[in-house]
Each structure stands twice: as C-alpha cells, then as structure tokens.
C-alpha cells in the first residue's frame, strides 16, 4: 500500500475513450526501430568463470541455449541489496569494499559503441508532438479533476474515517504486532475472562461473543476504510491495470520478435558458424600437437646429448662438445625449463664442462711437451696445427686464459733438456771423460776449450731451432686469438646493424597494420633445428620478432653445427674460423637472454688483447730463457777461471760466437736479450783485466831490462808501422818463417821521419795494436780496453821517467851513468808514442757512442804527461850543459894565450853533446836545444865577465874576450845542422846605461 502512495495517475486513452486525454498512436512501421535486443548484465560474482578471450566457445551460446537456464541468467537485485533490512545502517562502502576505493569516484569513460545523443536527435520528435502537447495542456485546464471538485466531501469523509479508525486499538497498528508473542496474544485475547477449572459457563460465553463482535467491528472499520481509499483511487487502479495489459501486449510482441530473431540466429549459427569454428578449433589443436611433437623430438635430442658429448670427447673434439653443451643448456633454460625429467641434466652438463676444461688443459700440456721435446731433425715447425688451433679456441671459449703459463713452464723444462742432451751427446764422443762418474757441470770443465766451444756452438744451433719452433707455434696461437677478437668485433657490429634493421622492420610492419596491410601473427614460436647423427638440437626463437629470419638462421646454424660435430676430428673441430662462425650464428639466432649468455662465456676484447700481448711477451721470454741457459753453460765453464786464461784469439772466437747467437735471436724474436751479453761482458772484463795485467807485467819486465840503447828495427815492425800509416789499425797476419830475408834498419821511419828507438817501444807499439785489435773483435769491451790502454801508456811514461830522468836504470839495469844519449833516446821514444796517441784516439772514437766520448779525455791527460816528460828531458840536457858551463866558466880568466883553455873545454863538451844527440833527435829539436844551451853559456859568461870587471870598452881585456867568443862561435856553427844558427853573442856584454 505504501508503494502506491507516491504513484501519480497516468492518463490513458484508447481509441474512443472519453477521458479527455490525448494518446500518441502507435506506428507499426516504426515499432521495430524502438525494440532493442535485451542485453544481459555481467555476473558480478568473482568466483564464476567468465571465460578467456582466446576460447571461442567457452561461454553459453545465446542462440543455442536460449531455453536453458544457466548461471549467466542470474541477476542482482540492486535495490534489494541496497535496502537490506538486516543491516543496522547503510554502509557507505558497499561499492568500494569489493571493487576498490576509486570505484565511486572514477570517471566512467563513454562507451565507444554507443552514439553520442544530443538534443538535435529529438528535434523531429519534439516538432511532431508540440501541437499535441498544446492540445493536451488546454484540455487539462478546461476539464478539472473530479477530486478537486469534491474537496470538502473528501475532507469530511476523511475525518469520519479517521474517527472510526481511532476506535481500533493501537496495538493492531504497531509494526511489531506479532501474535506469536505471548504478551501480544494475551493483550488481544484476554484469557483472564475465561474460567480455567470448571469449564465454560454462561458468563464466559458472553465474554467470548463480546470479544468476537468487537474484533469483527474492528475488521469492518478497517475494511470500510480500505474500500473508501480504493474508491477514491479507482481511476488510478483502472489506469494502472490498463497500462499493465498494454505493457504485457508489447512484451508479448517483443518476446515473439526475440524468438524469431533467436531462431534466425540459431540457423545462422548452425549453417555458417559451427563449421568455421570447428575448423579453427581443429587448427589450434593441430598446432598444439605439432608443438608437442617438436617438443618431444627436442627432448629426445637433448636426451642424446650426453652420449654425443662422450663420443666427441673420445675423438678429442673439445670445441664441438662445448658447443653442444652450450646449445643444450640454452635449450634447457629457454624451451625445456621446468621439465621434471631434465631437472638434473643442467648440473650434469656443468660437470661435463668442467671435465672438458681439465681435459683441454691436460691435452694442451701434453701437446706442449711433445712439441717442445721432439727431435730437431724433424722439418715441421708446428706440430699438429689443427689440433693446436682447436685447443686454443676451446681454452679461449672457456676463459682458460692461463694456458700460456703452462707453455712457459714446459718451455723452461725443454730448454734445460736441450742443454743436457747436447752435453751428453758431446761427452759420448770424448773417451777421456767418464759420463757415469762425473757430474754434468764437471764434464764441461774437463773438456778442452775447442771441445767445449764446439759444444757451445751446438747448443746455440739447437736453441735457434728451438726458438724458431716456438715462434711458429706462438704465431699460430696469436693468429687464433686475433681471429677471435676480429670475429667478436664483427659480430658486435652485425648485432648492432641487425637491431637497427629489426627496429626499422617493426616500424614498417606497424605502418602496414595501420594501413590495412597484412600483419604478422604473433601466436606461436618457431624452432630452428641443428642436425647431428639424425637428432635435432633446437634453440628457441622469439615468437614474432624472429619469424622473418627463422629460415636463414636455421640453415646457417644447421650447417655450422654439422661442421663442428662432424666425424672428421681434425677438420671439424680445429678450424677456429668455422667454430667462431658457429658461435656468432648461434648468438645471433638466440633471444636476447641467450645472446647475453654467449657473450658472457667468451672473453672480452680487452682480455683477448691482453692474451695477444702475452703471446708476444712469451716469445720474448723464450729468448731470455735461451740466453739464461747459455749463461749457465758459460758460467759453469768460467767457474774455475778457464775463460780468463784463454788466448786473445780464443776469446775473440768465443765473443764472436756469442754475439752471432745474440744477433740471430734478436732478429728471430725481436728482443735484445742482455743476460748472455752481460755474462760475456763480465768474462770480457776479467779477460781484459788479465790481458792488461799480462802486458803490463811484460812491459814492466821489458823496461826493467832495458839498457836504453838504440835498437835495430826489424822489417816486420817497419811493416807494422807502414800498415798503421795506411789506416789499418790491426795486427798483420804472421808470415811464414824465412819467407822474406830482410835486414833490420837502424831507424824506424814514420811519416818520413826517422825515430831511433829502444826495443821496448817497438813491443809497446805492438801491444797497443793488440789492444786495438781486441776492440775490433770485442766491441763490448771498448771502454774497458780504452782505460787499460791509457793505464799502459801512463805506466810506460812513468816507468821510463823513473828509469831515465830518475836514474832508476842505474840500480835496475846496472848502468854506470845516464848519458845524454840515453836521455835523447828516451825523448825520441816518447815522441814516437806521442805520435800514435791521436791515431789510437781516433780508432777508439769510432767505436764509442757519443755519450761515451767523455772517456777520451784520458788521451788528453796522457798527451800532456808525455809532452811534459819530453820537456823535462830537454830541460835535463840543458841542465847538464848548464852545470858544465857554471863549473868551467867559474875559472875563466881573461889572459893570454887565446883562445883560453876554458873555452876550448867548453867547445869540446858541446861537440860531444852534439855528437850524442844529433842522430837521435831531429834537426829542429837539435837547433832549439843548442839555442837554449847557447843562452845558458851566454848567461854564465856574462856573469863571469861582470865578476872580473871586464866591460865593453874596447880595451885589451875586451879584445881577449872577443877572441874567445869568436872561437866559441866558430866551433858551435861548425857543428852539423847548426851552420845557420844565430848565436847572438853581443848579448854577452851588458849594455851601457
């Protein structure tokens, strides 16, 4: 009843009704346009299945299941849920507690499938109904409502009904009125009026009748009130009933139209849809079966991985086994992930990979031993090149970058074995040495120099072959490393270009999709197969991204894998280029994650560059090791000092052999190893020390036995001097004895001058030529030899000075006196040595580095010392005559007869002096010496005349003195080479003031 209080009467007009209201006639032709197919609301129950977009027939068919009730027919009575009487209060979070906090505040986007309705859509309807609406409003104003005409009557009736209703007890009007409640029941039926024990009496009957009549009266009042309300609203009830009938008619028509539509749709579904849907479902089922079949084939191939790897390892195909393991691991990680039967295969493959690592290291060690220790008679420089390339590529792939350390250790052992084998072979050829009882180092000391030198040459030859083999092997290793580095860089560039082309391809595909062109179907992923022994090894490709390149990648990878895992071990696994092609192709055909795994396995460019540099350093190390072993041989021989006792020619041969070996290794390895040169330099220093001490001792013995007399010059010494003049600062070859009978000469002719020399100087010249010859043969000892030669020249100068000027020869040799001839001869010998000092200096200067020129200052000091010594000898000769002048002229008297005896004695001594030095000293030196002697004579004569008081006054004494002076001048100028000597005798007299 309460629901009808708010309803307003609806005007109704049907054909010939006379209620005064206008009703819009129905247009049969327009009726279907207003009917819309009822759309079922989605079920909001979260636990009910809603179906997936990929399933085409998972939900109920509207056409086939229209007469069968399903869960999709259930609806939610939203007003009933909102007006739930069980709730104490209306919960404000009804929508938000299940569907989220933003449900009520979220702006609902307009549906793309519904048109945007505006007022213009109703303009035609409003124009058609405008006239009718005006008529309707006019009729409402003219025909007043019947209720409005009887307002007082209605009010009176309402008041009367209210008074009658007030007679009914309030308990019947309460909303909690329930007869089940005992209190309510007792209040309505008061049982206290009825007797309980003795049965019903007349009083009780009267009370029950009265109660029944009262309740009947209450019922009548209520029914009258209800009838009155119905009569007041009869028009509304009749209008509602008529509207309900019309609505039922329309619903019936609608149901009939819907039934026809569903029948038509069912026919369409039966004829046109079920077949294609079944075909599509069968296609999907077939694709799933193909995927399952491929997956099973892939599992079968993966199951055969371990036997295949063992087969490859049995033929030492490490690279093929590693590639197969890597491919299988990628397949397990990408395509077969989560398969229970393969849960332990990944760990087993890792163990096999570690085992292969150990096998490769052991195989590389074995290869290195066999390569470095094989006989040198073999012509091949590289042993099993394909095997070496395979091992190096496998070690690089597994990041075992320390394999060069293994090669280095084996190289050191091989170098020791080379020396041992050469010594053993040499000892077997020498019957004097018992190889069983004598140790290795002692065997080399028991050899003669020529035997040991032949052994050293044999060791040098073997080490040259050894280094050639190492260089060839390391060249192969370096080429493999550089090829891997180049392949890595090229694959990186290819990946970049592929990514660029791929992004461009995706852009073009998007453009085709927007323009209505064909688009790629991204439903399934395709597989690429690598064939081996009839099995298949697959790598997953990205489903849509790799479809365009799937066929090319599959072909390349299949071809490369067959090359890698073929039956030919030497050709299939050792070519590093094909292996790297396989690696690059596998990397390019994998998804992004798989490519990242491969890149992590291979060394980086920096590591590869470091390995390439280490290969070159290993060649340098090989050169150093060879030199170190030769140093051991050299030092073992030199331990007892035998190398120091070698002759010059023997040591020169040793030096030349060592220098030749050092040059060969330098050209071969590009490394200047200094250990052998340093050991030879150390021995050369000792040799030079002994060489110098021997000659210094010899020179000392010669000087101690030198009597300082002019010696004859043999022809060989003259030839030696002539060769020096021709620029050959070297010892001439010895001629056979008696081949040329030439008499010795008195003088040594040097550059047109005659030198009277003693025998020691001739041997000294030969000695410094020996020093120069040593420098020619052993350039490394130039500075040491130079200092030793300078010491030798200084030693000769100092010893000759002590023996001649110091008169040491009186005690050493037993000379009675040091004569002027001895002094002149010593001066001439010093001049001869001084003549050759610039020649020696120029010879050493050509063999010194510019930074070593400072050592040539020794020759400047020596030249100064020799010149000082020569000047001292000249001063000594003058001093001898000066003392004679002082002694003779101190007794000079100016008296007849003239010439006086004193001047006769002076002229006699000067003649002896001239005779002693004339043949020894050159003419210029003789004239200069006599000028100095003449100056001394004039000085002493002048002093004696001043003491005697004789002056230049033209008197008799002056005349007598002039006679003696004229006699002195004539005798001096009568000596040979002194004819034109200007004596300047007027200086004898003091000038008058």
């Amino acid at each position: 009843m309460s629901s009808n209080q708010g309803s307003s009467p609806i005007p109704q007009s049907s054909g010939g009704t006379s209620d005064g209201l206008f009703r819009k006639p129905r247009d049969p032709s327009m009726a279907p346009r207003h009917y819309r197919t009822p759309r079922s609301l989605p079920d909001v129950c979260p636990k009910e299945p809603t179906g997936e977009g990929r399933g085409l027939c998972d939900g109920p068919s509207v056409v086939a299941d229209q007469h069968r009730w399903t869960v999709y027919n259930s609806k939610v009575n939203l007003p009933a849920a909102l007006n739930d009487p069980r709730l104490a209060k209306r919960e404000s979070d009804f929508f938000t507690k299940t569907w989220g906090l933003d449900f009520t505040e979220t702006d609902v986007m307009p549906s793309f499938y519904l048109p945007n309705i505006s007022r213009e859509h109703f303009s035609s309807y409003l124009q058609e109904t405008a006239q009718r609406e005006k008529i309707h409003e006019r009729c409402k104003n003219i025909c007043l409502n019947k209720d409005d005409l009887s307002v007082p009557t209605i009010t009176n009736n309402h008041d009367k009904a209210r008074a009658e209703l007030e007679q009914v007890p309030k308990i019947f009007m309460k909303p909690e009125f329930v007869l089940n409640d005992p209190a309510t029941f007792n209040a309505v039926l008061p049982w206290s009026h009825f007797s309980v024990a003795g049965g019903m009496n007349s009083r009780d009957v009267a009370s029950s009748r009265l109660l029944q009549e009262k309740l009947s009266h209450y019922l009548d009042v209520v029914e009258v009130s209800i009838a009155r309300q119905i009569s007041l609203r009869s028009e509304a009830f009749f209008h509602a009933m008529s509207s309900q009938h019309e609505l039922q008619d329309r619903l019936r028509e609608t149901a009939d139209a819907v039934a026809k539509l569903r029948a038509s749709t069912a026919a369409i579904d039966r004829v046109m849809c079920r077949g294609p849907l079944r075909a599509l479902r069968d296609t999907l089922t077939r694709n799933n079966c193909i995927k399952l079949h491929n997956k099973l084939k892939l599992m079968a191939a993966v199951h055969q991985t371990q036997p295949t790897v063992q087969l490859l390892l049995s033929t030492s195909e490490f690279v093929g086994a590693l590639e197969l393991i890597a491919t299988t691991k990628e397949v397990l990680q990408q395509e077969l992930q989560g398969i229970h039967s393969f849960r332990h295969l990944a760990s087993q493959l890792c163990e096999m990979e570690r085992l292969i690592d150990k096998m490769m290291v052991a195989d590389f060690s074995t290869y290195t031993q066999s390569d470095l220790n094989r006989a040198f008679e073999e012509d091949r420089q590289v042993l099993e090149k394909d095997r070496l390339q395979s091992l190096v590529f496998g070690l690089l792939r597994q990041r075992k970058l320390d394999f060069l350390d293994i090669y280095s250790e084996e190289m050191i052992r091989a170098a020791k074995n080379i020396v041992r084998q050469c010594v053993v072979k040499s000892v077997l050829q020498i019957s004097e040495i018992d190889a069983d009882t004598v140790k290795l180092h002692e065997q080399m000391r028991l050899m003669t120099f020529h035997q040991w030198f032949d052994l050293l040459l044999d060791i040098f030859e073997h080490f040259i072959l050894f280094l050639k083999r190492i260089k060839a092997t390391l060249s192969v290793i370096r080429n493999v490393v550089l090829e891997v580095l180049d392949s890595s860089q090229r694959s990186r560039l290819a990946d970049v270009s592929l990514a660029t082309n791929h992004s461009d391809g995706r852009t073009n595909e998007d453009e085709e999709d927007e323009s209505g062109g064909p688009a790629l179907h991204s439903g399934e992923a395709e597989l690429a197969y690598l064939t081996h022994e009839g099995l298949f090894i697959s790598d997953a490709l990205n489903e849509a991204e790799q479809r365009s390149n799937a066929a090319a990648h599959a072909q390349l990878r299949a071809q490369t894998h067959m090359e890698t895992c073929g039956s030919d071990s030497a050709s299939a696994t050792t070519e590093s280029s094909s292996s790297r092609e396989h690696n690059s192709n596998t990397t390019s055909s994998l998804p992004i994650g798989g490519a990242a795994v491969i890149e992590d396995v291979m060394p980086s460019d920096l590591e590869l560059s470091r390995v390439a540099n280490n290969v070159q350093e290993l060649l340098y190390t090989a050169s150093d090791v060879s030199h170190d072993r030769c140093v051991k041989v050299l030092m073992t021989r030199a331990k007892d000092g035998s190398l120091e006792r070698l002759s010059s020619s023997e040591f020169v041969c040793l030096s030349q052999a060592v220098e030749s070996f050092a040059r060969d290794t330098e050209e071969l390895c590009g490394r200047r190893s200094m250990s052998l040169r340093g050991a030879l330099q150390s021995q050369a220093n000792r040799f030079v020390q002994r060489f110098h001490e021997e000659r210094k001792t010899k020179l000392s013995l010669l000087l101690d036995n030198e009597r300082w007399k002019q010696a004859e010059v043999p022809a060989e010494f003259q030839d030696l001097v002539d060769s020096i003049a021709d620029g050959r600062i070297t010892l001439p070859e010895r001629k056979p004895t008696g081949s040329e009978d030439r008499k010795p000469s008195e003088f040594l002719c040097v550059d047109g001058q005659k030198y009277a020399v003693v025998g020691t100087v001739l041997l000294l010249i030969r000695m410094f030529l020996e020093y120069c010859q040593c420098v020619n043969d052993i350039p490394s000892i130039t500075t040491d030899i130079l200092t030793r030669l300078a010491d030798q020249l200084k030693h000769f100068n100092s010893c000759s000075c002590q023996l001649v000027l110091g008169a040491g020869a009186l005690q050493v040799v037993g000379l009675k006196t040091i004569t002027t001839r001895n002094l002149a001869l010593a001066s001439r010998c010093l001049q001869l040595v001084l003549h050759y000092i610039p020649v020696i200096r120029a010879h050493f200067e050509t063999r010194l580095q510019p930074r070593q020129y400072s050592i040539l200052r020794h020759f400047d000091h020596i030249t100064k010392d020799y010149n000082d010594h020569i000047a001292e000898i000249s001063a000594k000769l003058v001093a001898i005559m000066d003392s004679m002048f002082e002694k003779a002229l101190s007794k000079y008297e100016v008296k007849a007869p003239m010439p006086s005896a004193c001047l006769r004695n002076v002229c006699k001594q000067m003649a002896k002096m001239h005779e002693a030095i004339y043949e020894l000293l050159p003419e210029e030196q003789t004239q200069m010496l006599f000028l100095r002697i003449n100056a001394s004579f004039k000085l002493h004569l002048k002093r004696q005349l001043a003491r005697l008081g004789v002056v230049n006054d033209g008197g008799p004494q002056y005349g007598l003195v002039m006679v003696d002076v004229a006699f002195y001048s004539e005798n001096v100028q009568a000596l040979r080479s002194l004819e034109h000597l200007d004596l300047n005798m007027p200086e004898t007299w003091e000038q008058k003031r």
Side-chain angles (χ1 to χ4, degrees):
M1 294 183 350
S2 61
S3 62
N4 293 327
Q5 293 177 359
S7 63
S8 59
I10 302 175
Q12 182 175 354
S13 175
S14 59
T17 58
S18 60
D19 54 356
L21 298 177
F22 178 81
R23 181 180 178 184
K24 178 182 176 182
R26 292 177 57 190
D27 187 0
S29 63
M30 299 298 292
R33 184 180 61 180
H34 298 288
Y35 294 150
R36 299 184 63 183
T37 303
R39 295 168 54 189
S40 60
L41 296 174
D43 191 357
V44 297
C45 180
K47 295 184 179 179
E48 293 295 337
T50 59
E52 295 180 356
R54 300 183 68 178
L56 299 177
C57 298
D58 295 339
S61 174
V62 179
V63 179
D65 302 330
Q66 57 178 328
H67 302 296
R68 181 172 61 87
W69 188 95
T70 64
V71 70
Y72 292 94
N73 293 7
S74 63
K75 304 293 182 293
V76 175
N77 190 351
L78 190 58
L82 294 174
N83 298 321
D84 190 356
R86 292 173 295 178
L87 298 178
K89 59 179 181 178
R90 298 294 178 260
E91 295 184 7
S92 61
D93 59 342
F94 174 79
F95 294 103
T96 60
K97 67 179 181 181
T98 303
W99 298 332
L101 296 175
D102 298 334
F103 176 78
T104 57
E105 299 178 359
T106 302
D107 295 335
V108 179
M109 297 296 294
S111 176
F112 297 103
Y113 303 100
L114 297 179
N116 186 12
I117 304 302
S118 62
R119 187 174 180 84
E120 286 72 12
H121 290 83
F122 301 96
S123 59
S124 59
Y125 173 76
L126 292 176
Q127 290 175 2
E128 292 176 0
T129 59
Q131 186 65 26
R132 299 173 185 176
E133 185 180 5
K134 292 178 182 180
I135 296 172
H136 175 68
E137 292 296 334
R138 190 182 308 115
C139 291
K140 285 176 63 178
N141 296 330
I142 295 172
C143 299
L144 297 177
N145 194 350
K146 182 171 63 174
D147 294 337
D148 296 337
L149 297 176
S150 59
V151 172
T153 306
I154 293 174
T155 304
N156 295 332
N157 292 336
H158 182 68
D159 294 338
K160 182 179 180 181
R162 181 181 296 277
E164 292 177 355
L165 287 175
E166 288 179 357
Q167 296 176 6
V168 180
K170 301 298 183 182
I171 190 172
F172 293 103
M173 303 299 179
K174 291 182 179 180
E176 63 270 8
F177 175 80
V178 178
L179 290 176
N180 295 336
D181 188 6
T184 305
F185 186 80
N186 291 331
V188 173
L189 297 174
W191 293 103
S192 60
H193 296 284
F194 305 99
S195 62
V196 178
M200 182 179 297
N201 52 20
S202 60
R203 182 184 174 185
D204 294 333
V205 173
S207 297
S208 62
R209 287 178 179 177
L210 181 60
L211 178 61
Q212 184 176 2
E213 291 177 357
K214 186 185 294 185
L215 294 176
S216 299
H217 176 68
Y218 294 158
L219 178 60
D220 294 338
V221 170
V222 172
E223 288 179 352
V224 169
S225 179
I226 292 174
R228 183 182 296 109
Q229 292 296 330
I230 292 175
S231 65
L232 292 175
R233 292 171 173 78
S234 60
E235 291 292 338
F237 278 110
F238 292 141
H239 185 273
M241 291 302 293
S242 62
S243 299
Q244 185 68 23
H245 290 309
E246 184 180 0
L247 180 60
Q248 288 179 357
D249 294 339
R250 292 188 180 183
L251 287 177
R252 188 179 298 107
E253 294 175 2
T254 303
D256 294 340
V258 170
K260 293 180 181 179
L261 178 61
R262 287 187 175 182
S264 301
T265 308
I268 294 174
D269 175 51
R270 183 175 59 259
V271 175
M272 300 182 65
C273 296
R274 289 183 182 181
L277 288 176
R278 187 180 298 110
L280 181 59
R281 187 184 300 108
D282 293 341
T283 301
L284 291 177
T285 303
R286 181 179 179 275
N287 291 336
N288 291 333
C289 291
I290 291 175
K291 290 182 180 179
L292 179 60
H293 180 249
N294 292 335
K295 192 71 70 175
L296 291 175
K297 288 197 299 182
L298 180 61
M299 292 176 63
V302 171
H303 182 68
Q304 294 296 324
T305 296
Q306 289 177 311
T308 306
V309 170
Q310 293 176 358
L311 179 63
L312 292 174
L313 293 181
S314 64
T315 57
S316 299
E317 297 183 16
F318 300 110
V319 177
L322 290 172
E323 293 289 344
L324 183 58
I325 290 175
T327 306
T328 305
K329 289 170 68 176
E330 292 164 15
V331 171
L332 288 175
Q333 183 180 2
Q334 298 173 11
E335 296 186 35
L336 302 181
Q337 187 174 10
I339 296 180
H340 187 72
S341 60
F342 289 152
R343 64 188 183 279
H344 301 304
L345 183 58
S347 60
Q348 293 173 359
L349 292 176
C350 292
E351 289 295 332
M352 294 182 69
E353 194 170 8
R354 285 193 286 270
L355 176 62
I356 292 174
D357 292 346
K358 295 180 181 179
M359 293 178 64
M360 284 194 302
V361 172
D363 198 8
F364 183 78
S365 178
T366 304
Y367 171 83
T368 303
Q369 292 176 3
S370 59
D371 178 51
L372 295 177
N373 295 319
R374 58 194 171 102
F376 288 97
E377 288 77 12
E378 296 184 12
D379 296 334
R380 293 182 299 170
Q381 289 188 345
V382 181
L383 180 65
E384 298 180 13
K385 181 178 179 181
D386 295 338
R387 178 187 174 191
L388 175 62
Q389 290 176 336
S390 176
L391 286 172
V392 172
F393 180 77
L395 292 170
L396 290 176
R397 190 187 184 282
Q398 296 303 106
R399 303 178 71 91
K400 299 293 182 182
L401 305 181
D402 55 347
F403 65 93
L404 293 179
D405 297 336
I406 300 175
Y407 194 91
S408 178
E409 294 174 359
E410 295 297 334
M411 182 177 63
I412 295 174
R413 295 193 188 97
K416 293 180 180 179
N417 291 332
I418 288 175
V419 176
R420 184 178 294 105
Q421 292 172 4
C422 291
V423 173
V424 171
K425 184 176 68 174
S426 299
V427 170
L428 291 177
Q429 299 175 359
I430 302 174
S431 59
E432 293 83 2
I433 301 176
D434 188 2
D436 297 332
T437 59
V438 183
K439 295 182 179 180
L440 189 66
H441 60 276
E442 294 178 354
Q443 293 173 2
M444 288 188 285
R445 293 176 191 154
L446 293 176
M447 297 178 182
T448 63
F449 172 76
H450 295 289
Q451 293 172 346
W452 176 83
F453 186 67
D454 293 338
L455 169 63
L456 184 63
L457 293 178
D458 188 39
I459 291 174
F460 286 165
E461 182 179 358
H462 280 76
F463 270 121
I464 292 297
L465 296 175
F466 178 68
L467 291 177
K468 288 181 179 179
R469 288 183 176 179
I470 291 177
K471 183 177 181 180
T473 302
L474 293 180
S475 177
V476 174
I477 296 175
R478 181 180 173 84
N479 290 336
V480 172
V481 175
L482 293 179
E483 287 178 7
V484 172
L485 178 61
D486 182 62
S487 176
S488 175
Q489 294 174 351
R490 284 189 284 105
S491 64
R492 188 179 297 105
L493 294 176
D495 291 341
V496 172
S497 61
L498 180 62
T500 305
N501 296 334
H502 178 67
S503 61
D504 295 341
R506 293 294 298 172
T507 304
N508 296 332
E509 291 172 3
D510 295 340
E511 292 177 356
E512 289 180 359
D513 292 341
E514 293 176 359
S515 61
L520 290 177
H521 178 69
S522 58
E524 304 85 29
E526 292 189 0
L527 301 177
Y529 301 105
L530 300 178
T531 304
H532 173 72
E533 300 286 342
L535 303 177
F536 295 90
I537 304 298
S538 67
D539 287 330
L541 303 175
N542 283 338
E543 294 181 350
E545 297 176 0
Q546 297 290 343
R547 178 178 292 273
S548 60
N549 296 326
H553 285 312
Q555 182 179 1
L556 287 175
R557 294 172 58 192
Q559 185 177 4
T560 308
H561 187 77
M562 292 185 66
E563 291 179 359
T564 305
C565 301
S567 59
D568 189 0
S569 172
S571 63
T573 63
T574 57
E575 285 299 321
S576 60
S577 60
S578 64
S579 300
R580 283 187 293 278
E581 284 181 8
H582 172 72
N583 183 44
S584 62
N585 293 334
T586 304
T587 303
S588 62
S589 63
L590 289 174
I592 298 175
V597 172
I598 294 298
E599 289 181 358
D600 291 340
V601 170
M602 293 300 294
S604 63
D605 293 352
L606 180 60
E607 291 174 333
L608 291 174
S609 300
R610 189 180 295 114
V611 171
N613 294 332
N614 291 340
V615 171
Q616 186 63 35
E617 289 295 332
L618 190 58
L619 182 60
Y620 299 156
T621 303
S623 176
D624 295 339
V625 168
S626 302
H627 280 252
D628 292 341
R629 303 320 302 176
C630 294
V631 168
K632 292 286 186 182
V633 175
L634 191 65
M635 298 308 295
T636 301
R637 178 71 179 183
K639 192 171 184 179
D640 58 352
S642 59
L643 294 183
E644 301 175 13
R645 296 189 294 271
L646 296 178
S647 64
S648 300
S649 59
E650 291 174 343
F651 195 87
V652 166
C653 292
L654 175 61
S655 176
Q656 290 175 347
V658 170
E659 188 65 26
S660 176
F661 174 72
R663 284 196 305 268
D664 293 341
T665 56
E666 183 176 352
E667 293 176 0
L668 192 61
C669 302
R671 171 72 166 250
R672 183 177 177 84
S673 300
M674 299 304 299
S675 58
L676 184 58
R677 283 192 174 99
L680 180 65
Q681 182 65 38
S682 176
Q683 294 302 317
N685 293 335
R686 296 181 182 180
F687 169 78
V688 168
Q689 182 67 25
R690 184 194 58 79
F691 177 86
H692 174 64
E693 289 177 356
E694 287 181 356
R695 279 148 185 78
K696 188 174 182 179
T697 302
K698 182 178 181 179
L699 180 61
S700 298
L701 291 175
L702 290 173
L703 288 174
D704 290 343
N705 294 313
E706 181 60 56
R707 303 189 65 84
W708 297 100
K709 292 184 178 179
Q710 183 177 1
E712 293 182 345
V713 179
E716 58 177 345
F717 283 96
Q718 184 61 52
D719 295 339
L720 187 65
V721 170
D722 293 340
S723 66
I724 296 174
D726 295 337
R728 296 190 298 272
I729 313 299
T730 180
L731 289 174
E733 297 180 359
R734 292 187 177 182
K735 297 180 180 180
T737 305
S739 60
E740 185 177 359
D741 189 9
R742 295 170 56 188
K743 295 181 179 180
S745 60
E746 295 183 359
F747 298 95
L748 184 67
C749 296
V750 179
D751 293 340
Q753 292 189 10
K754 292 183 178 181
Y755 286 88
V757 294
V758 296
T760 303
V761 173
L762 294 177
L763 295 177
L764 178 62
I765 294 174
R766 186 176 182 86
M767 283 182 189
F768 74 69
L769 285 179
E770 290 176 352
Y771 280 90
C772 295
Q773 182 67 39
C774 239
V775 171
N776 294 337
D777 297 332
I778 314 175
S780 60
I781 61 174
T782 301
T783 55
D784 204 9
I785 282 287
L786 190 148
T787 56
R788 297 297 192 278
L789 178 57
D791 181 69
Q792 188 81 325
L793 294 175
K794 290 179 181 179
H795 180 67
F796 173 77
N797 185 40
S798 61
C799 287
S800 61
C801 182
Q802 293 173 5
L803 292 174
V804 179
L805 283 179
L810 299 180
Q811 292 81 17
V812 176
V813 185
L815 296 180
K816 295 181 180 180
T817 182
I818 301 299
T819 64
T820 55
R821 189 174 182 83
N822 298 138
L823 291 172
L825 190 59
S827 176
R828 196 56 175 163
C829 291
L830 292 174
Q831 292 175 23
L832 177 62
V833 176
L834 187 63
H835 172 77
Y836 283 110
I837 288 178
V839 178
I840 298 172
R841 178 192 177 109
H843 177 75
F844 277 90
E845 187 174 2
T846 58
R847 284 154 179 80
L848 289 175
Q849 299 294 330
R851 63 175 183 276
Q852 297 175 332
Y853 284 168
S854 59
I855 200 173
L856 296 174
R857 65 180 183 277
H858 291 294
F859 292 109
D860 298 333
H861 298 159
I862 293 172
T863 301
K864 182 178 180 303
D865 293 340
Y866 271 72
N867 286 324
D868 293 343
H869 191 185
I870 294 172
E872 289 178 2
I873 292 176
S874 298
K876 183 64 176 178
L877 292 174
V878 175
I880 291 173
M881 297 303 295
D882 185 77
S883 61
M884 186 271 298
F885 289 150
E886 183 179 5
K887 182 179 180 181
L889 292 177
S890 63
K891 301 176 181 179
Y892 176 67
E893 294 180 356
V894 182
K895 62 181 180 178
M898 292 297 167
S900 61
C902 179
L903 285 182
R904 290 179 183 274
N905 186 25
V906 168
C907 291
K908 182 179 179 181
Q909 294 296 330
M910 291 189 70
K912 289 182 178 181
M913 169 68 73
H914 181 270
E915 183 181 359
I917 68 175
Y918 175 74
E919 293 182 352
L920 302 179
L921 298 178
E923 183 176 347
E924 295 79 6
Q925 293 185 19
T926 303
Q927 290 177 358
M928 293 300 299
L929 180 62
F930 271 90
L931 283 176
R932 294 177 62 187
I933 293 174
N934 179 58
S936 175
F937 170 77
K938 290 189 294 183
L939 177 62
H940 287 287
L941 180 60
K942 186 176 181 180
R943 291 178 181 176
Q944 184 63 24
L945 291 177
R947 189 181 302 115
L948 296 175
V950 179
V951 296
N952 185 9
D953 55 359
Q957 289 185 337
Y958 170 76
L960 293 176
V961 171
M962 291 302 297
V963 172
D964 286 338
V965 169
F967 175 76
Y968 167 79
S969 298
E970 289 176 359
N971 281 275
V972 170
Q973 292 180 347
L975 299 176
R976 285 180 295 180
S977 71
L978 302 181
E979 295 86 358
H980 304 290
L981 189 65
D982 185 8
L983 300 178
N984 197 11
M985 295 307 296
E987 292 182 355
T988 306
W989 303 98
E990 292 185 359
Q991 299 296 329
K992 293 182 179 179
R993 296 184 176 88

